[in-house]
């Protein structure tokens, strides 16, 4: 099968979040896709196979299948459009999270994703131990979102990965704060799912966009994820949906033999 690695939410080489993209002619068994994702050893590998008016799309970390992945969706649309030369106005993906669309807009790829509302919860000693700093608020949806004091605190954070993995009821843990040169910043950790720190997490912004739109009183926002590689996301709040846009760059293309 054709295989690509594309850096999503990347403004320059070796930035953003690398995603594996496998373009299939026929569906593969789930256990085979999981073995390939484990062999690739990237945060996510996406598998796209033609289906109806678009593609069936599934995402796997090295250890498990997940229900929504932003950067690998953006990377898949980028590969289909810019590398393989499909000339569609938008790309429709059928996924476990319902239909998702990605629209090329100049040098950006804009994803239309569901918004995930958060509920505020009590801050626990386990949360404080996991991040090792003062937490202003804690909110929960798929992931645990911890509001910190400022961008510097987010950037300098040294998390306790075993403590993060032990926090119940969440796929991963994110820290966020108001940005200095952008609207908000974040970092994301999911060590229990084979992702100690994710480079740039599109699906996380299904929670962060409505969270920060309400706090800042604006629906168009620019975000930065402050991982060592870093990445920029251009965000819009649309109530029950969010739009998340970014750039992508091709790193590698080849073939997988199984």
């Amino acid at each position: 099968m054709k295989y690509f690695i594309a850096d999503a939410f990347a403004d320059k080489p070796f930035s953003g979040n690398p995603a594996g993209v496998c373009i299939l002619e026929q569906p593969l068994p789930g256990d085979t896709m999981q073995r390939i994702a484990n062999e690739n050893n990237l945060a996510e590998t996406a598998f796209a196979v033609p289906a109806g008016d678009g593609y069936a799309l599934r995402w796997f970390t090295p250890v498990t299948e997940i229900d929504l992945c932003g950067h690998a969706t953006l990377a898949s649309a980028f590969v289909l459009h810019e590398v393989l030369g499909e000339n569609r106005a938008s790309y429709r993906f059928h996924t476990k999270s319902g239909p998702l669309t990605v629209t090329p807009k100049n040098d950006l790829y804009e994803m239309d994703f569901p918004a995930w509302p958060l509920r505020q919860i009590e801050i626990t000693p386990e949360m404080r131990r996991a991040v090792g700093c003062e937490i202003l608020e804690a909110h929960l949806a798929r992931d645990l979102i911890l509001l910190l004091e400022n961008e510097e605190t987010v950037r300098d954070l040294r998390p306790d990965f075993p403590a993060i993995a032990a926090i119940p009821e969440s796929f991963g843990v994110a820290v966020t704060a108001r940005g200095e040169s952008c609207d908000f910043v974040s970092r994301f950790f999911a060590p229990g799912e084979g992702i100690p720190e994710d480079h740039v997490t599109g699906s996380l912004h299904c929670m962060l966009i409505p969270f920060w739109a309400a706090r800042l009183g604006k629906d168009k926002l620019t975000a930065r994820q402050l991982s060592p590689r870093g990445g920029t996301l251009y965000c819009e709040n649309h109530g029950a949906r969010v739009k998340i846009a970014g750039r992508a760059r091709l790193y590698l293309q080849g073939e997988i033999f199984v």
Side-chain angles (χ1 to χ4, degrees), residues 13-245:
F14 308 114
S15 66
N17 201 352
V21 178
C22 294
I23 305 298
L24 311 178
E25 295 180 359
Q26 300 292 333
L28 285 176
D31 63 339
T32 301
M33 290 189 282
Q34 184 63 74
R35 288 172 180 266
I36 292 170
N38 180 267
E39 188 86 358
N40 293 344
N41 198 31
L42 296 169
E44 266 85 25
T45 298
F47 296 84
V49 60
D53 59 349
Y55 288 84
L57 186 66
R58 295 172 70 177
W59 313 276
F60 291 79
T61 78
V63 299
T64 190
E65 183 174 8
I66 61 172
D67 59 356
L68 184 64
C69 177
H71 81 279
T73 302
L74 189 153
S76 298
F78 165 79
V79 165
L80 291 167
H81 187 75
E82 194 155 327
V83 183
L84 297 181
E86 290 195 17
N87 189 22
R88 302 191 188 197
S90 64
Y91 293 83
R92 187 173 180 86
F93 297 107
H94 305 282
T95 78
K96 287 192 170 185
S97 291
L100 307 174
T101 60
V102 183
T103 303
K105 291 190 172 182
N106 298 319
D107 64 339
L108 295 176
Y109 288 81
E110 183 181 76
M111 303 184 293
D112 186 320
F113 273 22
W116 288 341
L118 292 162
R119 59 182 176 90
Q120 190 165 358
I121 61 174
E122 181 181 353
I123 299 169
T124 66
E126 290 78 13
M127 296 175 193
R128 294 190 180 94
R129 183 163 57 252
V131 297
C133 66
E134 183 62 28
I135 300 168
L136 303 182
E137 296 176 17
H139 298 259
L140 184 64
R142 183 196 72 175
D143 305 313
L144 176 64
I145 309 295
L146 303 178
L147 178 65
L148 304 187
E149 183 177 1
N150 53 40
E151 179 175 321
E152 182 181 8
T153 305
V154 172
R155 182 185 297 110
D156 294 343
L157 189 75
R158 297 294 180 265
D160 182 328
F161 290 123
I164 284 179
I167 294 176
E169 298 183 353
S170 68
F171 176 83
V173 175
V175 292
T176 188
R178 187 163 184 169
E180 296 171 1
S181 59
C182 61
D183 291 299
F184 65 91
V185 297
S186 66
R187 291 172 68 188
F188 181 74
F189 314 101
E193 308 299 333
I195 310 168
E197 179 168 4
D198 201 20
H199 300 296
V200 191
T201 315
S203 60
L204 170 64
H205 291 74
C206 294
M207 294 162 272
L208 292 181
I209 291 170
F211 178 83
W212 283 107
R215 286 174 176 261
L216 300 178
K218 56 192 297 189
D219 288 326
K220 290 188 176 182
L221 308 110
T222 303
R224 283 283 299 174
Q225 197 153 328
L226 300 179
S227 67
R229 290 174 63 101
T232 302
L233 308 94
Y234 302 94
C235 310
E236 290 187 24
N237 182 51
H238 290 270
R241 307 288 295 182
V242 295
K243 293 188 176 180
I244 308 165

